[in-house]
C-alpha cells in the first residue's frame, strides 16, 4: 500500500526522549539535528552524550575538560587533576617528617 512509502505519512523520531512526529520525508533531517541525538564527546573522553546535555558535559562532567589547580594555578585535564593535587602540585600541603612538627 502507498501509505508504507508515502513521504507525507507521520514518522516518530527514533531518539529516546524526543518523541517528535514529522513527515517521513523530513525524518532524516530531523534526526540528524535532533537535540536528543547521541554524539561522541568532542574532547575525546570516550563518552557518548545526548546533544542537549553536551554543554553541561563539557563544562562539568568531561574528564578531558581543562581545569585549573586551585593551589598553583596550572592547567590540566580533570582526569589528571586529583593526581596532581595529591602528588605533584608544588603548593600542596604535605606532612612534615620532622618529629613533633605536626
Amino acid at each position: 500500500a502507498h501509505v508504507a512509502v508515502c513521504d507525507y505519512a507521520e514518522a516518530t523520531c527514533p531518539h529516546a526522549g524526543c518523541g517528535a512526529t514529522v513527515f517521513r520525508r523530513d525524518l532524516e533531517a530531523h534526526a540528524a539535528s535532533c537535540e536528543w541525538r547521541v554524539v561522541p564527546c568532542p574532547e575525546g573522553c570516550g563518552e557518548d552524550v545526548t546533544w542537549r546535555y553536551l554543554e553541561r558535559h563539557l563544562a562539568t562532567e568531561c574528564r578531558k575538560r581543562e581545569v585549573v589547580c586551585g593551589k598553583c594555578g596550572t592547567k590540566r585535564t580533570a582526569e589528571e587533576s586529583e593526581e596532581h593535587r595529591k602528588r605533584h602540585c608544588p603548593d600542596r600541603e604535605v606532612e612534615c617528617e620532622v618529629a613533633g612538627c605536626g
Side-chain angles (χ1 to χ4, degrees):
H2 172 75
V3 74
V5 294
C6 179
D7 284 342
Y8 294 95
E10 289 185 345
T12 303
C13 179
H15 299 298
C18 180
T21 301
V22 297
F23 290 133
R24 181 179 286 128
R25 71 180 188 155
D26 300 326
L27 183 60
E28 188 176 333
H30 168 80
S33 63
C34 177
E35 67 178 10
W36 291 95
R37 71 190 183 279
V38 175
V39 297
C41 173
E43 293 296 325
C45 76
E47 294 290 323
D48 290 327
V49 184
T50 300
W51 178 261
R52 75 178 294 155
Y53 302 123
L54 184 59
E55 189 174 320
R56 178 182 70 192
H57 170 77
L58 293 172
T60 64
E61 300 167 354
C62 180
R63 65 181 186 271
K64 296 287 186 184
R65 74 186 183 283
E66 186 177 87
V67 295
V68 177
C69 176
K71 298 272 187 189
C72 70
T74 60
K75 296 177 183 177
R76 62 198 15 79
T77 64
E79 69 184 345
E80 299 168 333
S81 172
E82 188 172 347
E83 176 75 13
H84 167 78
R85 187 177 50 80
K86 288 181 177 179
R87 294 188 171 75
H88 304 293
C89 179
D91 297 333
R92 73 188 182 280
E93 292 183 24
V94 294
E95 253 185 63
C96 182
E97 297 176 10
V98 176
C101 177

